[in-house]
Amino acid sequence: ITVITWNVGTAMPPNDVTSLLHLNTGETNDVDMIAIGLQEVNSKINKRLKDALFTDQWSELFMDVLSPFHFILVSTVRMQGVILLVFAKYYHLPFLQDIQTDCTRTGLGGYWGNKGGVSVRLSIFGHMVCFLNCHLPAHLEKAEQRKEDFATILHMQQFEGPVANGILDHDLVFWFGDLNFRIESLDICFVKYAIDSNVLSQLWEKDQLNIAKSTWPVLRGFQEGPLNFPPTFKFDVGTNKYDSSAKKRKPAWTDRILWKIKPPSKGWGTGGQRPSQGVLSVSQLCYCSHMEYTVSDHKPVAAIFAVQFASKVDKPQVEIYVADEWSRPEQAVVRYKMAVGFHRSSWDWIGLYRVGFRHPKDYVSYVWARSDDGERCLEKQLCAQVMFSEEALPKGNGEYILGYYSNTSSSIAGVTEPFQISLPRSEEGSSSTDSSGSSSEEDDSTLVLLAPKSRSPSPGKMKRHRSRSPSLAKFQGLILRPSSRDRGTSRSPSPQSRRSLPRNIPTIHLPQEELGHRGVKGKELGQAAESPEGSSFYQTAQEQGGLRCVPADSPLGRADPRSLGLLPALRLEMIDQALGRRRESAEQGHRPCRKTSPTSPPGCGTSPKEGRGP
């Protein structure tokens, strides 16, 4: 596992990050997972508003660089300028389950997310692992505040499930980020002398974090490798020269990577040994800074760990069987077998991915993983079968992978080895279905709104859950009234979450005549609904408590936040109100609706196989 932390100081990404990711060495072949923690990403107000709607450039960069090495974005979470990205080799995806994210604001007493922590937790081959990226308060005299903020983050971040509800309940925790600990007592002249003379050990005993590890109970059990690299803060941007401004800030190891193994459970097992002893061990193979990057006043820090454990999971939850090559459309048959206890959903789907895909929703095409005998296959451990249509298949030659996407766990539950597709090109079809570029560009381009186009054929779940989307996590800088399915994913020590916004959100009323004359045909609506792109929620309006479709050629239908400059808060509140009224209507005895997100394929009150309405 490679862990990287970097305070990028609102800078634009560099052109090359291969050395930071250790991609130019033989270590890449052995690395199974990469966790990247960034701080101060586009933290200026105008850039934050833009990134609320579009994928940020740093996430795009790392996905582009890592995908050719078969790394897939497993999960990401963002809180203003603090971002955490977790990647894994594609063949490990079926063994990464129970993926959840959380974030805690500690800036301005818990009201602001410029400081705080974001986390991704997941089960890796049955072992619970948590990655925690923090940005703690700055300045030498704020050591006690840093301690209190870290304790607040540990206390407030809670996950769902029967095991590992708190961060320290996990079998293994990686804690990293701009922790902002400084060097005490020593003056700047001596610190620079020790750095120039390469006698860094004389600075270690005055490092605030080293002191705190022996005095703060909250840090008990956290380990860190030796600081054999120069302090990573503060540099003049564009150079390797320490701060030469009038402030003359003292160099310090602000950017750190620590880990903690869960202590053995109390009580003795058979044979006189503790039950969990020897199950999991961690060795740090590398701990270094990268002086070659000068876009920020911080230097990035990387660490490589060898984590050894006994696997608790031997087989994926879904096994997929496919031919070695598809040379004719009728060969595009997929057979799959689900494990006992697998929570199958009627919204599960099988995606066709080009080798080198970036995240689970970066598919070329998909087919619903449902069949008439699906439940019987699950009960009797038989193989179910689905088939891709000829129109959904890419033309030309290429290597592809099939993945079973579980809507219940929001993750890939089974993948195949790469196989070949070699279908003849046609002049008509080659331009539109030739490559995955059309789907991946549409999904990942910074020119496409992420909210209405999540590219997932699965519906959103109305129950409380945490962000697992490969797209950007919800923008934490705007104060929004969370919906029922999102409430609780972001916690801060402030009472903000207990307040509600004014309910006088404007309602858009459309003349009945305009709706009648410019209505969209039902067939076209059905096609739009079945598409994973779906119909955008920017083309809906409220009128008298119900939802009405706005024609695409109407002035409102043509309205685009990219040209209007509208904040997403207004739009989100409108949809939240609409869904709330639907739920109230259902509670009063109306026929219940299937709860879906704006990107859901079929419409209200239908099964995936039935209604085709928007």
Side-chain angles (χ1 to χ4, degrees):
I1 298 178
T2 297
V3 179
I4 295 168
T5 179
W6 192 3
N7 184 322
V8 299
T10 74
M12 296 289 289
N15 295 326
D16 187 7
V17 290
T18 53
S19 62
L20 173 61
L21 298 168
H22 293 255
L23 298 179
N24 51 358
T25 67
E27 298 166 335
T28 308
N29 297 327
D30 298 327
V31 173
D32 298 288
M33 298 186 68
I34 298 177
I36 302 171
L38 305 175
Q39 306 87 38
E40 293 191 24
V41 175
N42 291 348
S43 60
K44 293 182 180 179
I45 184 66
N46 60 327
K47 293 183 178 180
R48 282 204 310 275
L49 293 176
K50 177 182 176 182
D51 287 343
L53 299 175
F54 308 108
T55 307
D56 70 277
Q57 294 173 307
W58 286 92
S59 299
E60 291 280 340
L61 170 68
F62 286 115
M63 284 191 289
D64 288 340
V65 172
L66 288 171
S67 58
F69 293 90
H70 307 298
F71 284 100
I72 311 303
L73 181 63
V74 177
S75 183
T76 180
V77 57
R78 177 171 188 172
M79 181 184 66
Q80 289 184 208
V82 184
I83 295 180
L84 176 57
L85 305 156
V86 176
F87 293 85
K89 292 285 181 66
Y90 78 89
Y91 43 80
H92 291 316
L93 294 181
F95 304 99
L96 308 180
Q97 298 296 321
D98 197 10
I99 304 169
Q100 300 182 41
T101 66
D102 206 352
C103 58
T104 302
R105 301 182 298 273
T106 60
L108 295 179
Y111 283 91
W112 198 239
N114 64 322
K115 297 292 191 293
V118 297
S119 62
V120 172
R121 85 83 171 262
L122 69 166
S123 169
I124 304 177
F125 289 91
H127 296 267
M128 302 306 297
V129 179
C130 183
F131 298 94
L132 175 61
N133 173 28
C134 290
H135 192 185
L136 299 182
H139 305 304
L140 177 68
E141 66 277 6
K142 294 292 184 66
E144 195 66 24
Q145 184 64 46
R146 288 187 276 274
K147 167 190 170 184
E148 294 177 2
D149 283 8
F150 182 54
T152 298
I153 293 170
L154 293 181
H155 172 72
M156 300 198 70
Q157 297 212 1
Q158 297 292 318
F159 303 97
E160 299 173 349
V163 295
N165 300 114
I167 290 179
L168 298 184
D169 296 330
H170 291 73
D171 298 319
L172 176 60
V173 177
F174 290 102
W175 174 41
F176 49 97
D178 181 3
L179 307 185
N180 257 321
F181 288 98
R182 308 304 173 95
I183 296 175
E184 290 185 344
S185 305
L186 306 176
D187 62 56
I188 187 172
C189 294
F190 182 82
V191 171
K192 288 188 173 181
Y193 165 77
I195 296 171
D196 295 338
S197 305
N198 197 26
V199 286
L200 300 176
S201 58
Q202 297 188 22
L203 307 179
W204 293 347
E205 62 183 14
K206 297 299 183 181
D207 174 74
Q208 288 180 332
L209 182 55
N210 284 337
I211 297 172
K213 279 188 286 187
S214 59
T215 58
W216 293 358
V218 72
L219 295 180
R220 187 176 296 119
F222 279 96
Q223 304 177 60
E224 183 183 20
L227 298 169
N228 290 326
F229 50 89
T232 55
F233 174 84
K234 173 183 174 42
F235 290 88
D236 292 337
V237 175
T239 72
N240 286 328
K241 181 180 179 181
Y242 285 104
D243 186 18
S244 61
S245 68
K247 294 184 178 181
K248 288 283 191 297
R249 276 161 287 200
K250 188 163 50 175
W253 285 289
T254 58
D255 310 280
R256 313 287 278 270
I257 301 173
L258 297 88
W259 74 95
K260 180 178 182 178
I261 302 175
K262 185 179 180 181
S265 57
K266 296 181 179 180
W268 296 90
T270 57
Q273 291 187 343
R274 295 185 183 275
S276 60
Q277 190 171 1
V279 172
L280 187 148
S281 65
V282 178
S283 301
Q284 190 176 63
L285 307 179
C286 168
Y287 192 27
C288 62
S289 64
H290 287 264
M291 298 290 289
E292 65 271 25
Y293 294 99
T294 61
V295 298
S296 169
D297 55 355
H298 290 251
K299 299 299 181 184
V301 175
I304 301 177
F305 299 91
V307 183
Q308 295 180 318
F309 51 79
S311 175
K312 297 180 180 179
V313 182
D314 297 322
K315 291 184 178 182
Q317 292 181 302
V318 178
E319 296 181 78
I320 308 175
Y321 307 95
V322 66
D324 294 334
E325 182 179 4
W326 292 353
S327 56
R328 301 188 307 276
E330 56 267 24
Q331 292 178 315
V333 176
V334 182
R335 299 169 63 240
Y336 59 95
K337 182 179 180 181
M338 294 166 283
V340 177
F342 175 68
H343 297 290
R344 177 180 176 273
S345 167
S346 58
W347 296 104
D348 291 354
W349 46 275
I350 296 176
L352 178 65
Y353 302 93
R354 187 180 292 274
V355 170
F357 67 104
R358 303 175 0 145
H359 52 72
K361 294 175 185 175
D362 185 20
Y363 52 77
V364 177
S365 61
Y366 73 94
V367 62
W368 294 109
R370 54 174 179 256
S371 58
D372 295 335
D373 58 351
E375 293 300 331
R376 183 175 62 86
C377 293
L378 179 59
E379 293 174 3
K380 297 188 176 182
Q381 286 297 285
L382 301 175
C383 283
Q385 179 175 301
V386 293
M387 185 173 182
F388 281 85
S389 65
E390 182 175 357
E391 295 77 15
L393 296 175
K395 305 302 185 290
N397 298 324
E399 275 197 316
Y400 294 84
I401 292 171
L402 288 170
Y404 185 105
Y405 187 87
S406 168
N407 183 59
T408 304
S409 62
S410 297
S411 61
I412 289 183
V415 295
T416 66
E417 292 292 327
F419 66 97
Q420 193 76 19
I421 293 182
S422 53
L423 297 176
R425 298 176 182 268
S426 62
E427 293 186 2
E428 286 186 26
S430 60
S431 61
S432 60
T433 59
D434 183 21
S435 68
S436 63
S438 60
S439 67
S440 63
E441 288 174 10
E442 187 174 335
D443 175 36
D444 303 315
S445 171
T446 56
L447 298 180
V448 176
L449 287 174
L450 290 176
K453 295 188 178 182
S454 69
R455 290 198 53 76
S456 171
S458 309
K461 294 186 284 293
M462 298 303 294
K463 64 181 182 180
R464 178 176 179 265
H465 72 103
R466 305 181 188 276
S467 170
R468 301 176 181 80
S469 170
S471 306
L472 195 63
K474 282 186 171 57
F475 181 53
Q476 301 295 334
L478 297 176
I479 303 176
L480 303 178
R481 175 166 53 83
S483 64
S484 59
R485 61 171 179 168
D486 294 325
R487 189 168 292 115
T489 60
S490 172
R491 279 174 289 279
S492 71
S494 71
Q496 171 183 309
S497 59
R498 293 189 292 273
R499 298 179 180 178
S500 60
L501 291 180
R503 297 184 174 271
N504 55 345
I505 303 298
T507 298
I508 299 176
H509 296 278
L510 296 181
Q512 188 69 29
E513 297 79 9
E514 183 177 350
L515 289 172
H517 288 296
R518 297 192 178 186
V520 183
K521 294 181 180 179
K523 181 179 179 181
E524 296 172 353
L525 288 175
Q527 292 172 348
E530 181 68 13
S531 166
E533 267 52 77
S535 59
S536 171
F537 72 151
Y538 287 105
Q539 296 180 349
T540 61
Q542 285 179 260
E543 183 169 1
Q544 297 177 359
L547 283 176
R548 294 184 181 271
C549 182
V550 178
D553 58 348
S554 70
L556 181 60
R558 291 192 299 269
D560 192 314
R562 288 169 285 182
S563 59
L564 297 178
L566 296 177
L567 291 179
L570 174 62
R571 301 293 182 176
L572 292 173
E573 286 296 334
M574 288 167 56
I575 287 300
D576 191 83
Q577 278 190 331
L579 293 178
R581 294 183 181 181
R582 281 190 171 184
R583 287 192 292 270
E584 292 174 4
S585 176
E587 292 171 359
Q588 294 172 2
H590 292 240
R591 183 170 59 88
C593 296
R594 176 182 288 272
K595 299 176 182 178
T596 60
S597 73
T599 56
S600 306
C604 172
T606 63
S607 68
K609 295 183 69 174
E610 298 168 358
R612 313 269 295 185

